Amino acid sequence: ITNGVVAMIRMEYPNWTTTEVRQRLYDSCDDMNNSSKYGHGRVNLELALGGGGGGGGLYLTTGLMVAGTTTTLSTTGSASGDTVYFAYSVTGNGVTSIPSLGVDLGIASPKLLGTSGANGSGMAEFTVNIPPSARYLSVWLQAAQIGKTSQVIYVIIT
């Protein structure tokens, strides 16, 4: 099943590197709440191809989330100059309507981290300072712009 999902991601995004495909596969898995038994979770084809609880055209990636450091959140899939909003939640998945952007976020009670303009390649980046007190905090991340959302990424800050 996993190989089939990888093949579908490759068909949908033929110019992506192996690393980008692998990250998309991992980010779109359904959390099974036991990583030692289930690894990244159950593969989810709909999310992997940009459907379901996000993925409406934007693809979000993040660096390591380590307390007391900085990391960069990045999106692809925007047009040059588009404003991308980066949000987080500590309460989990949910549906939050953002009428000004015409989208529904897949996270509950989102807080805005900040915004960034997309460059000529359609990539937007935002650097986040992670406070030392955030260690072991569960965080859900998502990006949005007018008419588009990314997938939701769940992380535990180490």
Side-chain angles (χ1 to χ4, degrees):
I1 293 170
T2 302
N3 288 339
V5 172
V6 168
M8 296 293 288
I9 295 169
R10 285 230 176 258
M11 282 180 32
E12 185 73 17
Y13 305 100
N15 296 323
W16 279 12
T17 66
T18 300
T19 301
E20 290 171 316
V21 170
R22 181 183 305 119
Q23 193 62 49
R24 179 61 160 249
L25 175 70
Y26 294 163
D27 290 346
S28 63
C29 285
D30 296 327
D31 185 8
M32 302 296 289
N33 295 321
N34 187 342
S35 62
S36 64
K37 184 175 182 180
Y38 299 111
H40 289 278
R42 180 179 50 226
V43 295
N44 184 324
L45 178 62
E46 183 179 15
L47 284 178
L49 298 181
L58 291 179
Y59 180 65
L60 177 64
T61 58
T62 181
L64 293 175
M65 303 287 286
V66 178
T69 66
T70 61
T71 192
T72 301
L73 305 178
S74 302
T75 61
T76 56
S78 298
S80 179
D82 284 350
T83 300
V84 178
Y85 299 81
F86 294 89
Y88 76 98
S89 171
V90 294
T91 56
N93 291 320
V95 177
T96 305
S97 182
I98 310 293
S100 61
L101 297 178
V103 298
D104 291 331
L105 292 182
I107 56 178
S109 305
K111 306 278 188 220
L112 181 65
L113 284 167
T115 63
S116 178
N119 66 19
S121 299
M123 176 185 276
E125 294 183 328
F126 185 78
T127 301
V128 178
N129 294 313
I130 304 169
S133 61
R135 189 168 191 177
Y136 303 119
L137 183 67
S138 292
V139 179
W140 290 258
L141 303 164
Q142 191 169 23
Q145 68 179 65
I146 294 176
K148 292 182 178 182
T149 61
S150 73
Q151 82 284 12
V152 174
I153 296 177
Y154 169 72
V155 295
I156 298 174
I157 297 172
T158 57

